[in-house]
Amino acid sequence: MAKDQLEVLNVLDQAKTQLYHFTAVVIAGMGFFTDAYDLFCISLVTKLLGRIYYYVPGSSKPGSLPPNAAAAVNGVALCGTLVGQLFFGWLGDKLGRKRVYGITLMLMVGCSIASGLSFGSSPAVVMATLCFFRFWLGFGIGGDYPLSATIMAEYSNKKTRGSFIAAVFAMQGFGILAGGTVAIVVSSIFSALYPAPAFAHDHVRSTVPQADYVWRIILMFGALPALLTYYWRMKMPETPRYTALVAKNAEKTRADMLKVLQVDIQVDESRDQVETASFGLFSKEFLRRHGLHLLGTTSTWFLLDIAYYSQNLFQKDIFSAVGWLPAAKSMSALGELYKIARAQTLIALCGTVPGYWFTVFLIDRIGRFTIQSIGFLFMSVFMFALAIPYHHWTLKDNNIGFVVMYGLTFFFANFGPNSTTFVVPAEIFPARLRATCHGISAASGKAGAIVGAFGFLYASQNQDKAKADPGFPAGIGMRNSLIVLAVINLLGLLMTLLVPESKGKSLEEMSQENCEEAENHTKTGPAIV
């Protein structure tokens, strides 16, 4: 850093890890807990929705969501998330991180509850109402991405910044785990209270009327953790970096730091404020300094989410295809939900959650670039290992081996690009554009998720149309779909070369704002000494 760097930035970068850092992780992290719960719990209940609302009397198969309804229910929240990431990222830079932070949380709470209250006179109306509220749920979730990452980055010191940002994101793992656990508990309770035969034994009674409450309870439960943290989120002060570099209010910067970080700085009001360069997002100067960086963060997140959301949203279909889940006919509606939830919880517990926390503990030791490269590489390796001898894994004796390999792809997604693509955009762009650029990067990821959610749904269908799910055209098959995902991960590894390493460097060093200050110092002098 330049010697005349704003003192507030030096104080933040050198500050010891304090209680407030951990408090901020919990406050911001509970938003991501809710994000993951809400985005992924829908994959648990889609088969139940099909049985309840789309069973055709006399059919020899349980009801299933039509292609358009399945795509909409799985993908509409992702569309809302994409829009929310762009909007709230921009708003967070314009109005400040704190001022819009509570809005996202209340949207999540309100729309989680409303999703579970989706009623209608016909199945189509119920699905349309559900999709409406899940879009706005996604909109609120989208805002949490750029705001939480930016807030955590701007409060952290440079030695442990990566771990703290990654810890916020790692709460997603617990959200996914909680979604599966809640589904297991609720389905078990209702199965005990309202026993039902398997579909093969009684087509109608296999889906008890009370099953309609089950999916609603699961969806509404996502509101609880977000609601519990609303008060503390509202008490968080604005980040010192935003106040100092964007709002340019030195006295408020000092006051906010005293509230939470127990450090003090002296303000010299007789000096002028530092004037930093003010090039915009669409300027040639931004393109020169950060154009390749933005291309790197957007492309890697886009490619990663195609594979990651394909895996997550359609675990139940993959498990069914290889025979790890029994045939739908052999289970009741609630029995099927229980077994899907149990399978996804096991994968989350053994692969997803450990991967997140490996990143938390190692990101400031081995760096973002290394973790992201390792993750993309091994995701490709394990997907090829699943796809090439695919018939081998479908044999009953080899199901456990498939689950282990499949779990490892989740481990390396989270000890890899799923974590680092979230961390890096919060570190490498200027403060006045940080939330906007993070929002753009995250929205690119959600565009990939939408491609994965809609594309995989169709692509993974059996190549024989007669064996495809009702209403779906023939696809390229599960084996070829996994090969495509493996190739996409290799492209992600290639695009990682565009992403700079930020380990151990200050935010201003990465964004080149310290260079701007050095250039202007001879004219203005520092604002805080």
Side-chain angles (χ1 to χ4, degrees):
M1 286 189 181
K3 292 181 180 179
D4 53 354
Q5 180 85 22
L6 285 173
E7 184 64 19
V8 64
L9 307 180
N10 282 324
V11 170
L12 284 168
D13 281 328
Q14 302 302 325
K16 293 181 180 179
T17 299
Q18 300 177 28
L19 176 62
Y20 184 76
H21 289 111
F22 295 100
T23 304
V25 166
V26 174
I27 294 170
M30 287 312 291
F32 274 91
F33 178 100
T34 305
D35 296 348
Y37 182 98
D38 286 328
L39 281 178
F40 293 114
C41 71
I42 196 66
S43 68
L44 296 169
V45 301
T46 49
K47 290 208 172 191
L48 180 61
L49 289 172
R51 288 208 189 210
I52 294 171
Y53 293 108
Y54 288 95
Y55 171 65
V56 178
S59 172
S60 61
K61 292 183 178 181
S64 62
L65 291 178
N68 291 342
V73 167
N74 279 300
V76 71
L78 301 176
C79 298
T81 303
L82 186 155
V83 178
Q85 287 164 335
L86 293 172
F87 176 73
F88 285 109
W90 169 79
L91 202 62
D93 283 334
K94 291 295 180 186
L95 302 181
R97 290 54 160 134
K98 172 187 165 57
R99 290 180 66 182
V100 294
Y101 205 28
I103 299 172
T104 62
L105 203 67
M106 291 315 295
L107 270 172
M108 284 189 274
V109 171
C111 293
S112 289
I113 295 170
S115 294
L117 298 175
S118 300
F119 294 102
S121 57
S122 68
V125 174
V126 174
M127 293 301 113
T129 309
L130 176 60
C131 288
F132 174 81
F133 287 119
R134 284 192 62 78
F135 175 87
W136 290 107
L137 170 65
F139 187 69
I141 288 172
D144 233 42
Y145 276 73
L147 295 174
S148 290
T150 301
I151 286 170
M152 201 67 243
E154 292 182 342
Y155 265 117
S156 301
N157 64 56
K158 62 184 180 182
K159 289 184 179 178
T160 59
R161 184 181 62 239
S163 292
F164 280 119
I165 303 173
V168 169
F169 196 62
M171 294 299 287
Q172 275 199 340
F174 292 124
I176 296 170
L177 198 60
T181 303
V182 169
I184 288 171
V185 171
V186 174
S187 61
S188 297
I189 292 172
F190 273 78
S191 292
L193 293 174
Y194 309 102
F199 180 85
H201 297 149
D202 191 319
H203 292 4
V204 176
R205 290 180 57 245
S206 67
T207 305
V208 294
Q210 292 80 7
D212 196 44
Y213 296 117
V214 172
W215 69 269
R216 299 176 186 278
I217 293 170
I218 292 170
L219 294 188
M220 288 193 288
F221 187 85
L224 184 61
L227 194 60
L228 292 175
T229 57
Y230 179 76
Y231 172 78
W232 287 276
R233 189 173 281 205
M234 289 298 91
K235 295 282 285 183
M236 290 180 79
E238 185 56 83
T239 70
R241 278 187 164 91
Y242 182 87
T243 309
L245 294 177
V246 183
K248 296 183 172 64
N249 187 332
E251 182 59 42
K252 190 172 187 304
T253 301
R254 176 179 179 274
D256 287 347
M257 290 179 69
L258 280 171
K259 285 180 187 176
V260 295
L261 290 180
Q262 299 174 358
V263 294
D264 196 8
I265 52 176
Q266 298 302 314
V267 179
D268 187 347
E269 296 292 351
S270 65
R271 300 199 183 188
D272 297 327
Q273 297 293 329
V274 170
E275 294 294 331
T276 57
S278 57
F279 57 84
L281 180 65
F282 300 106
S283 65
K284 289 183 179 179
E285 185 63 17
F286 179 87
L287 184 64
R288 182 182 70 82
R289 295 191 187 198
H290 301 293
L292 286 178
H293 297 164
L294 189 59
L295 176 61
T297 58
T298 54
S299 61
T300 51
W301 209 334
F302 175 80
L303 293 165
L304 175 274
D305 272 8
I306 293 176
Y308 187 71
Y309 278 81
S310 294
Q311 287 177 275
N312 251 313
L313 291 175
F314 300 105
Q315 285 185 57
K316 60 188 181 303
D317 303 298
I318 295 170
F319 292 151
S320 297
V322 299
W324 198 43
L325 288 176
K329 293 180 181 180
S330 68
M331 298 179 282
S332 66
L334 294 180
E336 184 177 38
L337 171 61
Y338 173 84
K339 289 183 178 177
I340 292 170
R342 186 181 63 180
Q344 292 197 196
T345 302
L346 181 62
I347 290 292
L349 189 62
C350 298
T352 304
V353 173
Y356 280 118
W357 290 96
F358 264 70
T359 299
V360 171
F361 293 125
L362 293 175
I363 191 168
D364 286 315
R365 291 176 172 83
I366 64 176
R368 289 75 163 146
F369 179 86
T370 301
I371 290 176
Q372 186 160 309
S373 300
I374 289 172
F376 269 129
L377 176 63
F378 280 96
M379 285 175 73
S380 295
V381 167
F382 286 113
M383 283 192 179
F384 277 126
L386 290 172
I388 294 172
Y390 182 73
H391 177 70
H392 168 80
W393 298 117
T394 61
L395 301 177
K396 188 173 182 179
D397 292 342
N398 301 323
N399 289 166
I400 298 302
F402 178 90
V403 172
V404 171
M405 298 278 280
Y406 190 64
L408 284 169
T409 66
F410 279 104
F411 175 84
F412 282 105
N414 295 307
F415 177 52
N418 192 44
S419 296
T420 53
T421 53
F422 176 80
V423 173
V424 173
E427 300 181 306
I428 63 176
F429 298 108
R432 62 186 175 277
L433 298 171
R434 186 168 290 137
T436 300
C437 290
H438 194 285
I440 292 170
S441 302
S444 177
K446 282 299 167 285
I450 292 166
V451 171
F454 290 96
F456 193 84
L457 184 64
Y458 286 87
S460 61
Q461 295 297 319
N462 198 292
Q463 290 173 291
D464 181 355
K465 190 178 186 310
K467 296 180 181 179
D469 291 341
F472 285 87
I476 61 174
M478 192 66 72
R479 177 180 182 272
N480 291 332
S481 297
L482 290 171
I483 290 174
V484 169
L485 296 182
V487 172
I488 287 170
N489 288 324
L490 288 178
L491 290 175
L493 176 61
L494 181 65
M495 298 307 292
T496 297
L497 297 173
L498 297 176
V499 180
E501 178 58 72
S502 50
K503 177 171 74 81
K505 298 178 181 178
S506 73
L507 296 180
E508 291 66 44
E509 186 178 354
M510 291 306 302
S511 65
Q512 301 176 41
E513 284 172 295
N514 57 339
C515 299
E516 295 169 13
E517 290 154 16
E519 292 167 2
N520 287 282
H521 175 63
T522 56
K523 299 177 183 178
T524 61
I528 302 175
V529 296

